[in-house]
Amino acid sequence: MATLQTPSSLFRSFLLTLCLFVIPSLSSDSDPLQDFCVGDLKASPSINGFPCKSSVSASDFFFSVLGGPINTSNPNGVTVSPANVLTFPGLNTLGLSMNNVEFAPGGVNPPHSHPRATEAGIVIKGSVFVGFLTTNNTLFSKVISAGEMFVVPRGLVHFQWNVGKGKARLITAFNSQLPGSAVLPSTLFGSMPEIPNAVLTKTFRTDDETVNKLKSKFAV
């Protein structure tokens, strides 16, 4: 004979479900279980990052690549210099990372998303048009200048465009040691294996010739 659950038992079951599934999802990366764990990049990563190095030194906790300047001579006129667990293993298990983003005049950081992190950034130099799109296709955007800050909620598509007369520079920070980046143009037209043309022509209401031209531009 089946046992009927009372309202109080159902409520307790609901609270247990919250504890097991909802509450852990509020943080991006898992919390560390020790003071630090400098990543051993020669080992395979686990769910919370890389295994710890057996021997560390002071140099493991300092990183100088964010200083710039960096070369922005590329089709988009933007270059990103990352400080994440893959370039700065001292960040392993700490749940944060940063980027130095530099723009040539007119440079664009194309529409992209970070599936594992919220992004916060500050303009160091120049004037930058920053925008992100919500899941109901609303654009929030503003031109910001040196000293001004922006935030992009986790996973939302966003972009930056240098609208000033000279070069521009941002420093961005993420609540993940490896936020990931899905850049829409190269993701859609440069994937391996390729997305079938039939999918892309239907999606963008265009033809094979146009899709093939775009694929040639973004081929890996």
Side-chain angles (χ1 to χ4, degrees):
M1 180 176 179
T3 301
L4 294 177
Q5 287 188 302
T6 64
S8 61
S9 65
L10 286 172
F11 181 67
R12 287 196 295 271
S13 298
F14 175 70
L15 286 180
L16 179 60
T17 302
L18 280 178
C19 291
L20 290 176
F21 297 104
V22 178
I23 295 175
S25 70
L26 296 179
S27 60
S28 182
D29 292 351
S30 301
D31 289 332
L33 301 177
Q34 59 280 313
D35 289 346
F36 56 81
C37 176
V38 177
D40 180 1
L41 301 188
K42 296 179 181 179
S44 298
S46 63
I47 193 171
N48 191 35
F50 290 87
C52 308
K53 285 174 59 176
S54 58
S55 177
V56 300
S57 66
S59 62
D60 288 312
F61 303 99
F62 299 91
F63 190 69
S64 59
V65 174
L66 293 182
I70 49 181
N71 187 357
T72 56
S73 299
N74 57 66
N76 288 328
V78 64
T79 300
V80 178
S81 180
N84 57 44
V85 69
L86 299 180
T87 59
F88 185 15
L91 294 174
N92 190 47
T93 75
L94 299 183
L96 58 90
S97 58
M98 301 179 75
N99 285 343
N100 177 32
V101 188
E102 299 191 20
F103 300 80
V108 171
N109 195 5
H112 62 283
S113 66
H114 303 291
R116 296 185 289 273
T118 292
E119 174 180 350
I122 184 169
V123 178
I124 304 300
K125 178 182 179 181
S127 296
V128 182
F129 180 73
V130 178
F132 72 84
L133 292 152
T134 68
T135 53
N136 65 2
N137 295 330
T138 300
L139 173 65
F140 290 93
S141 63
K142 185 180 180 180
V143 175
I144 57 176
S145 301
E148 294 186 280
M149 186 177 175
F150 66 90
V151 64
V152 177
R154 175 179 173 173
L156 296 186
V157 173
H158 58 287
F159 59 87
Q160 295 108 18
W161 172 31
N162 179 8
V163 295
K165 295 181 179 179
K167 294 184 176 181
R169 182 183 178 212
L170 307 173
I171 295 292
T172 57
F174 306 88
N175 63 333
S176 171
Q177 64 191 14
L178 195 62
S181 182
V183 183
L184 269 61
S186 55
T187 296
L188 292 170
F189 297 102
S191 66
M192 291 298 293
E194 295 182 354
I195 297 175
N197 276 20
V199 174
L200 295 173
T201 55
K202 189 75 171 179
T203 300
F204 292 100
R205 299 176 177 84
T206 187
D207 52 38
D208 280 331
E209 182 180 359
T210 301
V211 167
N212 288 333
K213 286 181 179 178
L214 288 168
K215 284 185 174 182
S216 67
K217 289 180 180 292
F218 295 102
V220 177

